[in-house]
Amino acid sequence: MLRKWIIFGIAAFAAAGGTACADNAKRPGNDAAAIASARISLVTAVTTAEQHVQGKAVRAEYEQRKDGQWVYEIEVAGPSGVFDVKIDADKGTVIASTADKVDADDDKDD
């Protein structure tokens, strides 16, 4: 699966005015073009996920699924736990929301 990573913390997200930095250290080329062409912005996706869970976003990923669909996967900490919320990057709708299991560095991406 082709993945594009966008990682941010709540403080960094707020301090940067809603921008995030792409993790390009392990990938050749520039990944910014993929997210720049998304119909729904990262800020909108984060807001949608936060409202869905009634919490605060702590991490976000932008990835292309096997079927070609681009999605944002937002990890949100809320009063009832931590949830992984998938947002359709074209429509801005919640595709799925699942409780996040113990997070021992999901993809070993340190």
Side-chain angles (χ1 to χ4, degrees):
M1 176 182 341
L2 175 63
R3 287 183 168 224
K4 306 295 179 188
W5 299 90
I6 309 299
I7 302 172
F8 62 92
I10 296 171
F13 183 74
T19 60
C21 59
D23 175 14
N24 291 323
K26 298 174 191 157
R27 292 168 188 81
N30 189 340
D31 295 339
I35 197 167
S37 65
R39 289 188 183 152
I40 303 301
S41 71
L42 174 62
V43 173
T44 300
V46 166
T47 300
T48 300
E50 287 179 336
Q51 290 173 350
H52 184 76
V53 174
Q54 299 298 308
K56 294 290 182 185
V58 295
R59 177 183 170 136
E61 299 174 7
Y62 186 65
E63 63 185 8
Q64 188 174 29
R65 299 182 345 175
K66 290 180 183 178
D67 64 2
Q69 180 183 19
W70 285 94
V71 298
Y72 292 100
E73 185 172 321
I74 317 289
E75 189 172 295
V76 181
S80 59
V82 178
F83 291 85
D84 291 324
V85 182
K86 290 191 178 187
I87 306 291
D88 183 306
D90 286 330
K91 299 175 186 168
T93 57
V94 175
I95 298 170
S97 179
T98 56
D100 188 26
K101 298 187 175 38
V102 177
D103 196 6
D105 194 27
D106 290 336
D107 294 321
K108 310 284 185 272
D109 58 348
D110 297 324

